């Protein structure tokens, strides 16, 4: 039975001060508003159900699930997950592994505090004090590295907004323990996720780190596939395909491996083979939004290939059904929502497209993610599907204002010029056309027409 001990204001303050010094999920500034908490929980629980990773990785996942359960107000379930984390950690490392449990014990202390079980809270704080004192003389860097690595994984899995923080934690952990396989793998994966397109092979930090991670994790098939995808970006297909074959041979039934193989084949090989593999992965993991999304993209590609043939409609509807499933399973899946809305528009389902675009825009603004691209795509939908140029102009302008230097910004400017150009071809004194061109000039700083008049204007806007 838990003991509910009353504390004085002074004791409560001292307890809170001690708790804030701990390194754990409760002190890492992981805010509920920065993720879709329900989607995050589903993803974590899927990882547990599929048995992905070793016992140490599963223990970390139980820690993360515990924190999410706490955020959702399910304290008892949170406690159950923390106990499972301890059990798995001891199974993996042996009973004398307290230094591996610093984060878990910190979570225990915080959770008991929130449950007003102050005696238990103090007990875990005492345990943490003993562990740190015992290890400070033996291996302080190992203690610090363990916390950095766990913090990095927790941040990485919680929200895309925390990728840069996760990257820095992995980097610091590797400075202390450069040969550690887990931290090398984590650093490689977060670099792969955050790296923008590189001009050359030598410029890719992700590629270098993926090779390094492979040295410390030669049996990690997920790393093989991420490296294959990165190599394919630089057209090194021979090495990439060898890695794909090896990964598939070693892990033929792993949904995580199959989904990346499917992505590789869709982008660089056989779409039909990709569909076959992804369907197989779906049998094992039917609630994977990622796999449904990949299948939707495959069928979309086949729809475009057979554009002028009867099969095109079948592939369109198959693509739509998988996009729908993906956003049902993952409600904040902005990319899938956008792609579904575009496909609805192409299929003549205008009202459904408009509704999904509106939901995607609301979600994107809430998450502060992908808003500029959505303004462009919605503008194009309004212009070409709804035939509402007036509203389209508004969204093109919003897109351009956000960042005129991006591809989306430049495309919006081009679309605005075309609209202005078309209006001037009917009326050389069209006020709205001049207002649009003046707006582009103010935002981009580039002159849109000269004092010589419309002929020069039409030349400049048609380029």
């Amino acid at each position: 039975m838990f003991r509910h001990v009353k504390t004085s204001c002074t004791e409560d303050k001292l307890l809170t001060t001690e708790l804030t010094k701990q390194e754990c999920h409760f002190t890492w500034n992981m805010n509920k508003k920065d993720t879709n908490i329900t989607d995050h929980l589903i993803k974590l629980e899927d990882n547990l159900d599929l048995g992905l990773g070793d016992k140490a990785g599963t223990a970390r996942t139980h820690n993360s699930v515990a924190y999410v359960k706490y955020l959702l107000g399910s304290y008892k379930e949170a406690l159950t997950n923390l106990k499972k984390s301890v059990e798995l950690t001891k199974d993996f490392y042996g009973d004398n592994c307290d230094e591996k449990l610093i984060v878990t014990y910190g979570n225990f202390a915080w959770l008991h505090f929130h449950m007003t079980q102050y005696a238990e809270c103090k007990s875990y704080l005492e345990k943490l004090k003993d562990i740190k004192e015992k290890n400070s003389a033996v291996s302080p860097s190992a203690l610090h590295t363990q916390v950095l690595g766990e913090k990095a994984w927790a941040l990485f899995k919680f929200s895309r907004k925390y990728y840069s923080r996760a990257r820095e934690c992995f980097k610091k952990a590797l400075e202390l323990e450069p040969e550690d396989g887990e931290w090398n793998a984590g650093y490689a994966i977060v670099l792969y996720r955050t790296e923008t397109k590189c001009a050359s092979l030598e410029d890719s930090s992700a590629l270098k780190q993926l090779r390094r991670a492979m040295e410390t994790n030669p049996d990690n098939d997920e790393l093989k596939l991420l490296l294959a995808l990165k190599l394919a970006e630089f057209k090194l297909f021979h090495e990439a395909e060898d890695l794909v074959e090896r990964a598939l041979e070693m892990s033929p039934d792993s949904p995580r491996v199959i989904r990346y193989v499917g992505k590789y084949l869709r982008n660089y090989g056989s779409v039909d083979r990709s569909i076959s593999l992804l369907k197989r992965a779906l049998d094992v993991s039917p609630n994977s939004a990622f796999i449904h999304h990949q299948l939707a993209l495959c069928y979309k590609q086949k729809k475009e290939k057979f554009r002028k043939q009867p099969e095109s409609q079948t592939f369109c509807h198959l693509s739509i059904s998988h996009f729908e499933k993906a956003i049902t399973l993952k409600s904040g899946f902005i990319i899938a929502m956008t792609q579904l809305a575009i496909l609805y528009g192409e299929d003549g389902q205008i009202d459904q497209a408009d509704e999904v675009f509106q939901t995607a825009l609301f979600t994107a603004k809430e998450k502060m993610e992908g808003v500029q691209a959505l303004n462009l795509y919605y503008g194009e939908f309004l212009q070409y599907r709804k035939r509402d140029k007036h509203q389209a102009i508004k969204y093109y302008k919003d897109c351009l204002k956000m960042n005129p230097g991006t591809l989306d910004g430049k495309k919006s400017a081009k679309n605005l010029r075309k609209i202005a150009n078309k209006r001037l071809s009917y009326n050389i004194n069209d006020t709205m056309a001049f207002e649009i061109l003046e707006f582009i000039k103010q935002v981009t700083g580039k002159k849109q027409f000269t004092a010589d008049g419309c002929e020069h204007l039409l030349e400049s806007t048609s380029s």
Side-chain angles (χ1 to χ4, degrees), residues 273-293:
R273 193 173 168 213
S274 178
I275 289 170
S276 176
L277 282 168
L278 289 166
K279 279 182 174 179
R280 199 170 89 196
L282 211 55
D283 289 337
V284 182
S285 184
N287 295 321
S288 168
F290 183 93
I291 294 172
H292 279 289
H293 183 234

Side-chain angles (χ1 to χ4, degrees), residues 104-341:
T104 311
Y105 287 164
N107 286 337
F108 264 121
W110 269 99
L111 188 57
H112 282 303
F113 177 76
H114 286 296
M115 295 172 81
T116 66
Q117 294 162 355
Y118 299 118
E120 281 69 26
C121 173
K122 288 177 183 177
S123 172
Y124 278 104
L125 287 174
E126 283 299 319
K127 276 187 182 184
L128 286 162
K129 187 179 176 184
D130 291 343
I131 293 167
K132 289 169 188 175
E133 284 176 357
K134 186 171 72 176
N135 283 275
S136 61
V138 182
S139 182
S141 67
L143 210 63
H144 187 45
T145 310
Q146 182 68 26
V147 169
L148 279 169
E150 289 202 46
K151 182 178 182 179
W153 279 119
L155 290 167
F156 175 69
K157 290 181 179 181
F158 194 81
S159 172
R160 291 180 66 88
K161 292 180 181 179
Y162 300 160
Y163 278 3
S164 60
R165 288 172 62 196
R167 186 175 61 225
E168 288 309 304
C169 286
F170 278 128
K171 188 178 178 183
K172 287 176 184 175
L174 284 170
E175 285 169 3
L176 294 168
E177 287 189 14
E179 300 302 317
D180 187 276
E182 274 196 279
W183 316 146
N184 269 294
Y187 190 42
I189 293 167
V190 77
L191 282 177
Y192 175 84
R193 294 276 185 92
T194 55
E195 185 171 85
T196 52
K197 194 168 179 65
C198 297
S200 69
L201 201 67
E202 292 71 28
D203 293 333
S204 176
S205 299
L207 184 62
K208 293 187 187 81
Q209 182 56 33
L210 281 164
R211 290 197 187 282
R212 172 71 186 128
M214 285 291 299
E215 291 171 10
T216 56
N217 299 269
D219 298 325
N220 188 317
D221 292 316
E222 187 177 353
L223 287 175
K224 288 188 184 88
L225 291 164
L226 293 180
L227 179 56
L229 285 163
K230 185 55 72 172
L231 287 165
E233 286 181 23
F234 299 101
K235 304 193 185 311
L236 298 172
F237 296 116
H238 181 73
E239 186 182 353
E241 283 165 18
D242 180 58
L243 287 165
V244 170
E245 291 296 334
R246 280 164 52 199
L248 198 53
E249 184 182 341
M250 295 303 295
S251 304
D253 298 316
S254 165
R256 186 171 280 181
V257 166
I258 289 171
R259 74 185 192 180
Y260 282 121
V261 173
K263 183 176 180 179
Y264 179 88
L265 291 171
R266 178 175 60 80
N267 288 340
Y268 305 108
S270 163
V271 177
D272 288 328
R273 193 173 168 213
S274 178
I275 289 170
S276 176
L277 282 168
L278 289 166
K279 279 182 174 179
R280 199 170 89 196
L282 211 55
D283 289 337
V284 182
S285 184
N287 295 321
S288 168
F290 183 93
I291 294 172
H292 279 289
H293 183 234
Q294 289 298 312
L295 271 168
L297 292 172
C298 286
Y299 286 123
K300 184 172 181 284
Q301 199 165 314
K302 286 184 75 71
K303 166 197 166 288
E304 287 160 3
K305 182 181 177 182
F306 293 93
R307 180 171 290 278
K308 294 182 179 178
Q309 297 176 42
E311 297 97 317
S312 178
Q313 193 72 358
T314 302
F315 293 130
C316 176
H317 291 157
L318 281 167
S319 182
I320 283 172
S321 69
H322 283 289
F323 277 133
E324 287 173 339
K325 188 67 175 174
I327 66 169
T328 301
L329 290 165
K330 184 180 177 184
S331 56
F333 205 160
I334 296 169
I335 295 171
M337 276 191 261
T338 307
Q339 291 161 331
L340 175 60

Side-chain angles (χ1 to χ4, degrees), residues 338-391:
T338 307
Q339 291 161 331
L340 175 60
I342 291 168
L343 211 52
Y344 274 149
E346 290 176 8
D347 194 46
Q349 300 182 54
I350 304 303
D351 289 342
Q352 291 94 323
D354 209 343
E355 187 180 333
V356 175
F357 265 124
Q358 291 290 345
T359 305
L361 276 162
F362 177 80
T363 308
K365 286 172 183 175
E366 202 173 46
K367 294 173 77 172
M368 293 184 288
E369 177 187 315
V371 181
Q372 188 183 26
L374 260 167
N375 279 320
L376 169 64
Y377 295 136
Y378 191 43
E380 290 180 333
F381 166 76
L382 289 165
Q383 181 179 354
Y384 298 111
R385 303 294 173 190
K386 287 198 82 174
R387 307 293 180 187
D388 187 347
K389 283 187 183 176
H390 183 74
Q391 277 296 304

Side-chain angles (χ1 to χ4, degrees), residues 62-120:
H62 275 290
N63 247 332
S64 290
V65 170
Y67 181 64
V68 173
K69 291 286 187 182
Y70 153 75
L71 290 175
L72 293 169
S74 302
Y75 292 2
K76 287 185 179 178
E77 288 181 49
L79 208 55
T80 301
N81 276 279
L82 289 179
K83 288 174 182 175
K84 189 66 180 173
S85 182
V86 173
E87 181 188 319
L88 288 164
T89 303
K90 288 185 175 180
D91 280 351
F92 190 75
Y93 292 107
D95 287 332
N96 298 318
C97 63
D98 279 349
E99 74 281 359
K100 304 290 185 184
L101 290 166
I102 289 175
V103 172
T104 311
Y105 287 164
N107 286 337
F108 264 121
W110 269 99
L111 188 57
H112 282 303
F113 177 76
H114 286 296
M115 295 172 81
T116 66
Q117 294 162 355
Y118 299 118
E120 281 69 26

